[in-house]
Every structure is written in structure tokens, then in C-alpha cells.
Amino acid sequence: MLTVREIIGNTPIFAGLEENELQQIEDIVVIRNYKKNMIIFMEGEPGEALFFIISGKVKVYKLAEDGREQILHILKEGDVFAEVVFIDKGNYPATAQVLEDSQIGLIRNDDFERLVRENPDIALSLLRVMTYRLRQAQIQIRDIALRDTYGRVASMLLMLAKEHGLTCAEGIKIDLSLSRQELANLIGTTRETVTRVLSDFNKSNIIRLDRQVITILDEKKLRSWM
């Protein structure tokens, strides 16, 4: 079983830090265990900390006025989230919920600010995370505005494969157990539409469906729908 120090050292944002610097982080990090579907924080609550995933998966989403979810990110081990509240000192701009039993590390904003002042490389790593998230958001906006539902589903599957894919004999297995509704919430459409498109891709041998597990069989054909 990994020690807290080893867990911190394996988190990309802290990669390359010296042993004494990892010790500083260990002194201020709080580790919490969450059961599947538990809420980490709610949109609008005071932003008090930056979080990173030690194990498990987390979805970050906003609620529309009609109560529908718009999923912004699906995050995995090593990912950082709620970094924006460290920058703007505001409320959490979205809700974070674990998709499976997860272990989450958190560093309170005041402690993290002291850490960044002493280790500027961490600020650079955080900037890279925020830039990547901005690019993802731009892609999602573009897809919703310009692509039809087949193109949006194809783009979503390729994005999930990049972030959560496992290479297997048949292709790329997306290592996520998402409901059809959650998939729909990722691209801003209905569950029925996603189900229909996935079924068509399955019949065309572009993907294989095994309950909630999706395997991409023909990446080239899937890209042709974009």
C-alpha cells in the first residue's frame, strides 16, 4: 500500500518536487474517502480548497434551470479540480460527485498559496491544467454549435478514449461506467438520442456495447463521423 508521500509524489501536478517539498505537502494535505455517488462539493458553496484524485473517478457538472445536468469533466486518478477557486477566491462554479468509491486529497487555499509562493513550478503546472481544461471547454462548445448528434457522440467517445482508454485486442476500451443519461449530459442532448446513435455505431461495428462499457473497434471510421 502506498504511503501518503508516495501518493502525493505520483500526482502529476507535484511531479519533480524534492523530498523536502513533498514533505511540506504531506503536512498540509487532507485525505478523504468517498463512497460512490457522494457529493464532494456543490455549485455555489464557498470555494475553500483545491482537490486531487488519489483513486477513483469524479464528474464535475452544472445544473441547468430545468434541472438537467451538463457534465463538464470526467476526471481520473492524478487529476486536479476546483483549481479555479484558488485563483479567484470565489465559490465553487460547479458540483463535483464521485462516480465510484474514491480517495480524494485536498489542500486548503491558504495552505496552497503558501506552497505556491515557495514552489513556483507548481503554479506553472496548475496553469497547464487550467489551459487544458479551457481547450476542452472550447471543443465542447464547438461540437454543440457545429456538429450533428452523430458527430458530437463520435467526438465525445474519442475524447473519453483519450482520457480513459485502455488498449485491448479489439481496440480501445473506455474505462468508465457511464449511464446513457450521463453520456447525453456530456454533449447536451437526450438519452434517447445517445442510445440511438450508439446503437447505430454498434451495428456498423464501429464500437461494441457491453452494458455500460464501450469499446472502440474502428477509430478511423468513428473519426469519419466528425
Side-chain angles (χ1 to χ4, degrees), residues 10-221:
N10 289 337
T11 301
I13 193 174
F14 303 128
L17 295 184
E18 300 295 333
E19 192 66 23
N20 66 312
E21 295 169 330
L22 293 175
Q23 178 62 56
Q24 291 177 347
I25 299 173
E26 182 179 356
D27 291 341
I28 61 176
V29 72
V30 177
I31 296 178
R32 293 178 177 170
N33 295 303
Y34 293 85
K35 293 294 185 183
K36 181 179 179 179
N37 293 328
M38 286 183 66
I39 299 291
I40 301 172
F41 55 77
M42 295 284 291
E43 179 179 355
E45 291 180 346
E48 299 175 339
L50 171 143
F51 298 77
F52 60 96
I53 302 174
I54 298 169
S55 64
K57 291 184 170 63
V58 172
K59 71 174 178 179
V60 179
Y61 65 91
K62 295 179 73 70
L63 285 178
E65 290 184 2
D66 60 5
R68 289 181 301 163
E69 281 185 12
Q70 175 62 57
I71 297 179
L72 306 177
H73 308 290
I74 302 289
L75 306 174
K76 62 184 185 304
E77 181 178 324
D79 284 340
V80 174
F81 59 103
E83 69 282 349
V84 68
V85 301
F86 165 68
I87 302 297
D88 68 8
K89 311 300 182 186
N91 296 335
Y92 292 118
T95 297
Q97 180 180 16
V98 298
L99 291 171
E100 60 190 38
D101 291 355
S102 302
Q103 191 172 54
I104 308 295
L106 70 89
I107 302 176
R108 302 193 187 282
N109 287 341
D110 289 344
D111 292 330
F112 192 69
E113 183 169 346
R114 286 193 294 270
L115 184 67
V116 167
R117 290 182 185 278
E118 296 170 5
N119 302 278
D121 285 349
I122 295 178
L124 185 58
S125 294
L126 194 63
L127 183 61
R128 291 193 184 103
V129 169
M130 296 179 73
T131 301
Y132 178 71
R133 298 266 167 82
L134 178 59
R135 288 184 183 276
Q136 281 188 311
Q138 290 173 333
I139 290 171
Q140 285 180 302
I141 293 169
R142 179 204 64 193
D143 286 350
I144 290 173
L146 301 178
R147 300 193 193 281
D148 63 14
T149 51
Y150 282 84
R152 284 151 64 187
V153 172
S155 179
M156 172 197 63
L157 292 177
L158 290 167
M159 179 195 71
L160 292 177
K162 180 181 177 181
E163 294 291 320
H164 305 278
L166 298 175
T167 301
C168 62
E170 296 174 293
I172 305 173
K173 176 183 175 182
I174 298 174
D175 187 29
L176 280 174
S177 181
L178 295 177
S179 69
R180 298 294 184 261
Q181 186 61 61
E182 286 171 323
L183 292 172
N185 292 344
L186 270 169
I187 60 171
T189 189
T190 64
R191 178 178 58 82
E192 292 78 11
T193 297
V194 164
T195 299
R196 174 172 52 81
V197 173
L198 290 177
S199 177
D200 287 346
F201 284 163
N202 184 65
K203 291 175 183 176
S204 300
N205 292 318
I206 296 173
I207 65 172
R208 189 188 72 201
L209 300 176
D210 184 8
R211 296 186 181 179
Q212 292 187 342
V213 177
I214 300 172
T215 302
I216 297 175
L217 304 177
D218 193 327
E219 184 178 350
K220 185 177 179 180
K221 282 187 178 180

Side-chain angles (χ1 to χ4, degrees), residues 3-14:
T3 65
V4 173
R5 182 88 57 86
E6 288 171 331
I7 290 169
I8 295 169
N10 289 337
T11 301
I13 193 174
F14 303 128

